Amino acid sequence: MWVFGYGSLVWKVDFKYERKVVGYIKGYLRRFYQHSIDHRGVPGRPGRVVTLIQSNNPNSKVWGVAYKIRKEDVDQVTQHLDFREKNGYIKRTVTFHPKEALEPFELTLYVATEENESYAGEASIEDIAKQVVTSQGPSGTNKEYVYNLAAAMRELAPDVEDDHLFSLEAAVRRLDPDSKKT
Ligand code: SIN
């Protein structure tokens, strides 16, 4: 089994895998349009985390990481990830395009669609940043989620400009009293 990570699964890997491949999926946009009440926020004061929305451009890309799970670990990893992603995410099968060497292949990802009750939807980068900078939950601060994802994507796919992610990172840093201002 292969699983695609485009959010916390990119940088917080608490499951067993045998291989990791960088690449992208097509036809989606990565957006901080999902509330988190179990990881980066709490009920009543939700944080914001990423989900995928359909793009009008079938060729738009979301870069991330595909993890290959060994057959004997599939049940345990699936149970673990289903629990970890329980706040609104469902599984979907999509085509993954590896950055190099391999042919495209099908894999599973977790997506939070508009129908789930924690769907937050569109908001300005400034408003999302204000929410992020003041939110935290059992897994840690919401700003840590944004900073770690931005740093990981910069390292994994240095030439890829993810405007939404990097503008949000910059907006959160501007509001974050603990962030070094350069
Ligand atoms: C993912 O990382 O692929 C799903 C969204 C998240 O947990 O941040």
Side-chain angles (χ1 to χ4, degrees):
M1 177 180 84
W2 286 84
V3 179
F4 182 65
Y6 59 91
S8 68
L9 296 181
V10 171
W11 56 271
K12 188 171 179 171
V13 186
D14 56 0
F15 52 90
K16 264 192 176 168
Y17 67 93
E18 65 169 314
R19 188 167 176 199
K20 171 176 158 172
V21 178
V22 174
Y24 59 86
I25 58 164
K26 284 205 283 201
Y28 288 97
L29 300 167
R30 172 175 23 225
R31 291 289 182 264
F32 280 79
Y33 286 180
Q34 176 69 2
H35 276 157
S36 173
I37 56 168
D38 60 348
H39 286 297
R40 302 286 157 177
V42 291
R45 280 194 77 94
R48 280 227 179 205
V49 292
V50 286
T51 185
L52 299 169
I53 61 164
Q54 212 81 43
S55 172
N56 293 330
N57 176 359
N59 287 318
S60 66
K61 297 172 184 167
V62 173
W63 284 79
V65 180
Y67 300 96
K68 186 174 187 193
I69 315 298
R70 267 190 205 93
K71 236 192 210 123
E72 59 267 33
D73 296 326
V74 166
D75 285 350
Q76 196 267 328
V77 171
T78 304
Q79 244 179 46
H80 173 72
L81 293 180
D82 285 357
F83 183 78
R84 177 170 155 176
E85 302 296 324
K86 67 186 180 311
N87 185 197
Y89 291 82
I90 54 166
K91 279 179 282 200
R92 189 174 281 171
T93 302
V94 302
T95 304
F96 173 75
H97 301 262
K99 186 174 166 187
E100 47 207 32
L102 303 171
E103 288 296 309
F105 59 88
E106 303 275 284
L107 48 51
T108 302
L109 56 72
Y110 288 81
V111 60
T113 66
E114 278 181 41
E115 289 79 43
N116 88 90
E117 59 180 24
S118 287
Y119 191 74
E122 201 172 340
S124 69
I125 288 291
E126 278 312 309
D127 284 347
I128 298 177
K130 281 183 205 152
Q131 190 178 344
V132 164
V133 86
T134 54
S135 297
Q136 58 184 315
S139 299
T141 62
N142 204 173
K143 66 187 183 188
E144 176 194 43
Y145 178 106
V146 174
Y147 295 158
N148 285 350
L149 180 57
M153 290 318 304
R154 228 177 256 117
E155 197 182 317
L156 291 170
D159 303 329
V160 177
E161 192 42 55
D162 185 329
D163 211 33
H164 178 82
L165 173 61
F166 296 137
S167 324
L168 178 64
E169 180 199 23
V172 174
R173 283 201 192 282
R174 283 195 293 275
L175 297 174
D176 178 2
D178 302 325
S179 176
K180 277 194 222 101
K181 308 284 185 279
T182 48

